[in-house]
Amino acid sequence: MGRLPRIVVIGGGTGLSVMLRGLKQQPLDITAIVTVADDGGSSGILREELQMPPPGDIRSVLAALADAEPLLAEMLSYRFNNGKGLAGHSLGNLIIAAMTDISGDFVTGIRELSRVLAVRGRVLPAANQAIVLKAEMSDGSVVVGESSIPKAGGAIKRVFIEPPDVDPLPEAVGAIEQADAILMGPGSLYTSIIPNLLVPKLAEAIVNSDAIKIFVCNVMTQPGETDDYSVSNHLDAIQAHIGHPIFDYVIVNDGEIPEQVHSMYAEKGSKAVLVDMDEVTRRGYKVIADTLVLFRTYLRHDASKLSQHIYQLVTDWVQRKG
């Protein structure tokens, strides 16, 4: 080809960052498009006080893709525990806020910080403004705010954004149009993944792209978002919001989860996502199943193993396209 395969990774939250740590070890040209709907914690405070898009998910992705000294990446994630006004803030969020102020623009600030951190790839917000995420629950009530939705305690019927006609970042649309592969997940389905698909022109670019499209399903359900969800439920929710079945491949964990891990997660109202293989294949998706989990303090995807599967799918696709 004479160039690296171009992959666009869309989402937000911890799951995305874990996966990107693995993907940056592969010979891929990576663009991460990150949600700007967060309104909780440090991000929410900076968003409200400085009238800027929330920096938290962007910070996590920058740290994951940084080739800078490990200590520098650790500093980005450092959270102050004490200090009036400082407690709860992440240093990385404050640095992004400062870079936004210095450069006069959120996107330019991220670009400059990416250069300082020797980020492997590009990190782009889905839009250059904060988005308000709302959820219509199954009982007809509406919950306002990304951080409030999982706490509402009901079943989510749909999520939507304000303003509904927000423009995506032109660079994000361009990256999708030039992509060889588009990857979504893992991450919070309704608050990290789907919000990006509610940006109209972004969704349109994804649907129209001839790239291979891959969904990495969560290993565990998320209380207040995906209680009792199977793999096919995740896919149905995305299709309901975008109006089309968009994925070619679905990557799932079929490895055993130790009983003590099940018990630990059950205390928080979470359990393993049911891998309903027959339903997923009946809907026309191709499935890659493997043991893809690691357990340390929390259950996480095995970033190295997952990235190998993704790289293989992408390179095979590029070769077939010629």
Side-chain angles (χ1 to χ4, degrees):
M1 277 181 76
R3 62 169 176 83
L4 297 178
R6 299 184 186 117
I7 184 167
V8 172
V9 185
I10 301 172
T14 309
L16 179 66
S17 302
V18 169
M19 182 172 66
L20 286 171
R21 282 191 171 87
L23 280 177
K24 78 173 181 183
Q25 305 303 330
Q26 303 292 343
L28 293 166
D29 179 344
I30 301 170
T31 299
I33 298 174
V34 187
T35 181
V36 283
D38 190 7
D39 65 352
S42 170
S43 278
I45 294 166
L46 293 171
R47 167 182 172 149
E48 188 175 335
E49 292 188 358
L50 302 180
Q51 298 300 298
M52 63 178 282
D57 285 335
I58 295 274
R59 179 206 77 233
S60 299
V61 169
L62 287 171
L65 287 174
D67 266 349
E69 290 292 323
L71 184 58
L72 196 54
E74 195 178 325
M75 277 172 57
L76 278 184
S77 303
Y78 175 76
R79 199 171 290 277
F80 293 94
N81 295 313
N82 303 300
K84 190 177 179 182
L86 264 183
H89 276 299
S90 138
L91 180 59
N93 287 358
L94 297 176
I95 291 172
I96 292 172
M99 290 299 288
T100 300
D101 209 28
I102 290 165
S103 66
D105 177 73
F106 186 61
V107 176
T108 306
I110 292 165
R111 190 181 298 126
E112 290 303 310
L113 189 54
S114 296
R115 193 172 51 78
V116 171
L117 295 170
V119 163
R120 194 174 295 190
R122 285 192 300 167
V123 180
L124 303 171
N128 201 10
Q129 67 180 84
I131 292 169
V132 177
L133 186 67
K134 301 182 179 183
E136 181 188 350
M137 312 304 284
S138 58
D139 64 1
S141 63
V142 173
V143 181
V144 179
E146 182 262 2
S147 60
S148 302
I149 292 169
K151 299 172 188 168
I156 298 168
K157 185 177 176 183
R158 69 181 182 107
V159 289
F160 55 104
I161 59 171
E162 294 288 345
D165 57 350
V166 63
D167 281 325
L169 207 64
E171 296 98 313
V173 175
I176 289 168
E177 289 172 347
Q178 294 172 23
D180 297 303
I182 297 169
L183 180 65
M184 290 182 220
S188 300
L189 180 64
Y190 289 103
T191 54
S192 289
I193 296 170
I194 291 176
N196 298 288
L197 303 175
L198 301 176
V199 178
K201 291 175 188 170
L202 210 58
E204 189 182 324
I206 293 165
V207 170
N208 292 336
S209 168
D210 63 355
I212 184 174
K213 293 160 195 160
I214 306 163
F215 179 65
V216 181
C217 193
N218 293 336
V219 176
M220 306 298 288
T221 62
Q222 185 170 350
E225 281 204 42
T226 55
D227 298 287
D228 298 319
Y229 268 40
S230 65
V231 175
S232 66
N233 291 148
H234 283 76
L235 294 162
D236 289 348
I238 292 171
Q239 184 174 332
H241 282 81
I242 203 169
H244 300 269
I246 54 171
F247 299 109
D248 302 294
Y249 284 89
V250 181
I251 300 178
V252 300
N253 170 65
D254 67 353
E256 201 66 38
I257 297 170
E259 191 53 49
Q260 69 268 25
V261 178
H262 274 296
S263 300
M264 186 185 94
Y265 274 83
E267 288 174 14
K268 301 171 187 172
S270 180
K271 62 184 182 182
V273 171
L274 174 68
V275 181
D276 53 345
M277 203 82 78
D278 290 345
E279 279 299 314
V280 176
T281 53
R282 192 172 66 78
R283 284 160 168 73
Y285 303 103
K286 300 179 188 77
V287 181
I288 305 289
D290 198 355
T291 301
L292 293 172
V293 287
L294 293 172
F295 179 73
R296 292 192 179 100
T297 314
Y298 297 99
L299 207 56
R300 294 280 182 256
H301 274 91
D302 182 331
S304 175
K305 213 168 176 183
L306 179 58
S307 67
Q308 287 166 19
H309 279 294
I310 292 164
Y311 179 69
Q312 193 63 56
L313 282 175
V314 175
T315 50
D316 287 351
W317 176 264
V318 168
Q319 284 169 5
R320 285 202 300 273
K321 272 175 65 179

